[in-house]
Amino acid sequence: MKKKVILALTAMFVISSGAFAYGLESIPEKRGEVASEGLNMRTGPGTGHGIIKEIYQGEGFDILGAMDEWYLVQLEDKTVGLVYKEYVRVTEIYTEPEMEGDAESSYKGVSDAGILFDLANKARLEGGLKPFQWDERLNEIALLKAKDIEEEGYFGHFSPKYGTPFKMLKNMGIEYNSASENIAGGKNIEKAHDSIMGSPAHRGNILNRRFNKMGVGICESAEYGYIMVQLFVEE
């Protein structure tokens, strides 16, 4: 079953609508703009990857993370891709908000979803990050996605019923600046978490300083034991 968990995790897409399978570095840069006359947004970190679109001087975007000499960015129209750092002017740096109250109060425990939520927050606290906020509405949406995966017999981020995670969130009334989704399948919650944290790209979602809320949905699965969905948002 361990192999099945790993295969499930490597099938995940990371951060946004593109199928990125590279290690993502969490960085302080938050906003940027094109510094050159024109800049190609690509599907991967290198000129050998396909061009998604060309963006032009002065056009702004959110910076979601870094992959070597490339930024993963999201445009105002929610298009996501990679751009070469040398041609980007950083316009805003992220400032870590001060933690208020007892960080342990963000821990939920008891249920399977609560256990997975707690494990993620433990990893964030160990990394010096503010813990995720518990959000019942995000949990409900994550559970809907987990059940949809099991009932419809697919394993991926695009749902025949709900579309992409981003469309699903919008249709469910969730407003966000950036978002992401992790999906895992396995018989053991703790081992699934270990597998997520063992993958640099997927760990990047857990440790992304921009995300302040995470929803968790878990349902039983005939094939995997459990289907686990984590939804991350930055408000």
Side-chain angles (χ1 to χ4, degrees):
M1 190 63 203
K2 182 178 180 181
K3 183 178 180 180
K4 186 172 289 186
V5 171
I6 294 173
L7 289 174
L9 290 170
T10 54
M12 286 192 285
F13 297 166
V14 182
I15 288 294
S16 276
S17 55
F20 302 105
Y22 305 93
L24 184 69
E25 175 189 356
S26 181
I27 55 174
E29 294 93 322
K30 185 175 183 179
R31 288 280 299 176
E33 63 181 23
V34 180
S36 59
E37 184 175 339
L39 179 59
N40 289 327
M41 173 184 278
R42 296 183 179 273
T43 59
T47 56
H49 293 274
I51 297 173
I52 298 173
K53 65 187 299 184
E54 186 176 3
I55 51 181
Y56 300 98
Q57 189 169 30
E59 187 169 352
F61 41 73
D62 290 328
I63 301 175
L64 305 180
M67 298 176 184
D68 297 323
E69 297 303 312
W70 296 73
Y71 284 132
L72 180 65
V73 305
Q74 179 173 271
L75 304 181
E76 300 301 327
D77 65 3
K78 302 303 181 183
T79 301
V80 174
L82 288 114
V83 296
Y84 193 51
K85 287 182 179 180
E86 185 175 337
Y87 303 116
V88 172
R89 180 184 299 111
V90 175
T91 59
E92 185 177 349
I93 300 293
Y94 182 91
T95 301
E96 187 71 39
E98 292 185 8
M99 296 175 62
E100 299 180 0
D102 183 5
E104 296 298 322
S105 65
S106 295
Y107 278 52
K108 295 299 173 182
V110 185
S111 67
D112 289 332
I115 291 170
L116 194 58
F117 181 87
D118 289 353
L119 289 169
N121 268 348
K122 180 181 178 182
R124 285 179 71 86
L125 289 171
E126 289 174 349
L129 301 175
K130 189 175 181 179
F132 290 122
Q133 299 171 31
W134 180 262
D135 190 293
E136 290 290 354
R137 184 57 179 151
L138 280 179
N139 292 340
E140 292 171 3
I141 297 171
L143 181 58
L144 283 175
K145 180 64 176 287
K147 289 181 176 179
D148 185 60
I149 290 172
E150 177 63 16
E151 292 169 1
E152 298 299 325
Y154 69 95
F155 195 90
H157 294 272
F158 184 83
S159 162
K161 182 176 181 179
Y162 299 112
T164 67
F166 316 102
K167 181 178 180 181
M168 185 178 185
L169 287 168
K170 289 291 187 183
N171 289 343
M172 297 287 182
I174 303 297
E175 297 295 329
Y176 61 88
N177 291 317
S178 59
S180 186
E181 179 183 72
N182 281 352
I183 303 172
K187 290 184 176 180
N188 183 283
I189 305 299
E190 289 82 359
K191 288 183 179 179
H193 170 77
D194 289 343
S195 295
I196 290 171
M197 296 303 294
S199 167
H202 310 116
R203 183 175 67 246
N205 277 341
I206 299 290
L207 300 181
N208 191 316
R209 68 178 68 238
R210 295 173 60 113
F211 297 138
N212 60 313
K213 289 186 176 182
M214 179 181 72
V216 181
I218 300 176
C219 74
E220 293 185 358
S221 168
E223 181 175 358
Y224 298 104
Y226 294 102
I227 295 291
M228 293 159 265
V229 174
Q230 297 171 316
L231 286 174
F232 308 89
V233 299
E234 175 203 9
E235 292 184 322

